[in-house]
Each structure stands twice: as C-alpha cells, then as structure tokens.
C-alpha cells in the first residue's frame, strides 16, 4: 500500500531532503538544499494565489543558485561552505548596497536561510499547538521572530494580510500527506531537529565570516 502521495507533494520527503544536505564533514550540500526549497514552494503553490509574491521570490532565488550550480564555477558552489570560501576569496560578495557587482550566492542563500528559521518556528508551532490553535497567529509569530526583522513595512503588511487566509491546523496536517494528525506530529518531531541543525551550521558559517547583514 502507498503510505503517502508519490507526486513529491508530501512534507516528510521534503523535510528528508533537507536532512540529506549534511555530508560527513558537516558541510551543507547545495543541491539537496535547493531541492528542499523547491519542495516547499510546491506546498506554497497550493495555499492560494495570495502567496504568489512569496513563491515568485523564492523561485527567483532558487534559480540564481541553480545558475551558479551549472555555470563555469559550479564546483565552487557544491556546498554552502565552498561557496562562502570561493566568493570571499574572489571578492564577489557585495558588502554595501547599490554597487555594480552582480548578486552573490552568499546574499541569496542568506535570504533562504532566514526563511528557514521561519519554517522551523512555524512547523514547531504547528506541532506543539493544540488542535484548535490559530495557524495565522502561529505563522505571524514565527514570521515576526524571523523574516519580519529584515522586511520593509509594505512587505510585512502584505505578508500579515496573506497569513489571515491560512487554513486551520487540521487542514495543514491533511495537506502534509503523511497520514493521521498523530503521524504528522511525530514526523515533525523527528524532522525538525535536522532543520534546526542545518540552520545553526549556516548561522555559524555566516557569523564567522561576518556575512549576516549582507545587503
Ligand atoms: C504557510 C505559508 C506561508 C509562507 C510564507 C512565509 C514567508 C513569508 C515571506 C514573505 C516574503 C515576501 C516576498 C519578498 C521578499 C524579499 O524582498 C525578501 C528579501 O529578498 P531581497 O532580494 O529583496 O533582499 N525575500 C525573502 O525574505 C525570502 C523569502 C523566501 C520565502 C520562502 C517561502 C517558502 C515556502 C514555504 C511554504 C512552506 C509551507 C510548509 C507547510 C506545509 C504544510 C502543509
């Protein structure tokens, strides 16, 4: 029997993709990292056209990274660590706003990295929230504790309005396609520590190289 959907639209597999990012040297592999984000965008695309402005931005950032991954320096973009070394050593990271230099991998991944904290907080909130918790509140709290700190007022406003359209917790769990609510809660409990680890390693990497404020 099929335990869950085989169309890639199942959150267990998407979160497992993130888990598979860490190699034996605790380096973060770019390809599964991007594949994980693609999987999340597929979920986002089921949540209504009001989130189009979010998924477009996520897709644009994934594409920037895929171009690096298929370009002449693709080997330098094999892991987040090799990307940082390569771009720093070659002076490719723009530390100031409004200069001519092209968009770097470092600043692009930083945006996804900040969004990963939102994801972790949101899914943790869904996991531990009661059956009748308000998902819009869980989502807004997670957003305010993460991405909102880097977004201008107009984006924060649009985002908060969009969150009010989110379905209830039950519907989220159904949409995860991992079985019963209990199974979904269990799956999240297993998967979220790996997401947190990925976040922490990236945070440490960016902090060491003073890259956490890239414009
Ligand atoms: C549950 C649905 C809510 C999903 C939304 C959460 C994040 C809101 C982020 C709002 C971003 C606004 C769009 C653009 C912002 C950019 O200006 C900003 C900065 O970039 P830049 O180049 O201008 O400096 N970009 C970002 O901050 C990156 C945002 C990436 C967001 C990626 C969201 C991916 C999708 C997640 C959905 C996961 C659903 C999981 C649960 C499913 C359960 C059935």
């Amino acid at each position: 029997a099929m335990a869950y959907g085989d169309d890639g639209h199942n959150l267990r597999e998407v979160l497992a993709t993130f888990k598979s990012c860490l190699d034996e040297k605790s380096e973060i592999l770019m390809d599964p990292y991007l594949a994980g984000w693609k999987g999340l965008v597929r979920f986002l695309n089921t949540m209504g056209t009001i989130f189009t402005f979010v998924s477009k931005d996520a897709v644009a950032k994934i594409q920037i990274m895929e171009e690096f991954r298929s370009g002449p320096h693709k080997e330098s973009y094999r892991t987040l660590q090799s990307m940082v070394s390569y771009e720093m050593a070659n002076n490719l990271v723009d530390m100031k706003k409004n200069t001519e230099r092209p968009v770097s991998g470092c600043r692009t991944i930083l945006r996804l990295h900040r969004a990963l904290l939102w994801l972790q907080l949101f899914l943790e909130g869904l996991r531990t929230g009661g059956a009748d918790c308000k998902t819009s509140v869980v989502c807004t709290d997670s957003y305010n504790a993460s991405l909102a700190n880097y977004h201008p007022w107009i984006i924060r406003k649009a985002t908060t309005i969009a969150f009010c359209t989110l379905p209830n917790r039950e519907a989220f769990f159904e949409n995860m396609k991992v079985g019963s609510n209990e199974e979904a809660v269990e799956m999240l409990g297993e998967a979220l520590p790996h997401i947190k680890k990925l976040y922490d390693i990236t945070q440490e990497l960016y902090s060491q190289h003073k890259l956490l404020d890239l414009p």
Side-chain angles (χ1 to χ4, degrees), residues 180-199:
S180 66
N181 283 10
E182 291 72 29
E183 286 172 292
V185 166
E186 194 187 310
M187 182 280 286
L188 290 175
E190 197 276 318
L192 286 176
H194 300 290
I195 303 288
K196 186 180 184 311
K197 188 165 181 198
L198 213 54
Y199 178 84

Side-chain angles (χ1 to χ4, degrees), residues 11 37 40-41 43-44 47 51 53-54 57-58 61 107 111-112 115 118-119 122-123 139 143 147 151 155 159 163 166 172 175-176:
L11 195 65
W37 280 107
L40 290 175
V41 166
F43 275 99
L44 192 57
M47 324 238 30
F51 288 104
F53 75 110
V54 181
D57 186 68
K61 287 177 169 50
R107 69 90 60 197
R111 272 59 186 176
L112 295 177
W118 164 79
L119 181 79
F122 176 62
L123 293 179
C139 193
Y143 175 72
L147 283 171
H151 287 165
I155 298 274
T159 304
F163 289 163
L166 289 176
F172 263 105
N175 192 11
M176 287 179 193

Side-chain angles (χ1 to χ4, degrees), residues 133-188:
C133 75
K134 281 197 82 67
T135 57
S136 59
V137 174
V138 174
C139 193
T140 305
D141 289 349
S142 310
Y143 175 72
N144 286 342
S146 58
L147 283 171
N149 296 307
Y150 309 98
H151 287 165
W153 181 86
I154 183 76
I155 298 274
R156 293 204 305 272
K157 196 78 197 159
T159 304
T160 312
I161 290 169
F163 289 163
C164 292
T165 70
L166 289 176
N168 62 24
R169 183 174 182 264
E170 179 78 27
F172 263 105
F173 280 168
E174 228 163 80
N175 192 11
M176 287 179 193
K177 303 271 193 289
V178 291
S180 66
N181 283 10
E182 291 72 29
E183 286 172 292
V185 166
E186 194 187 310
M187 182 280 286
L188 290 175

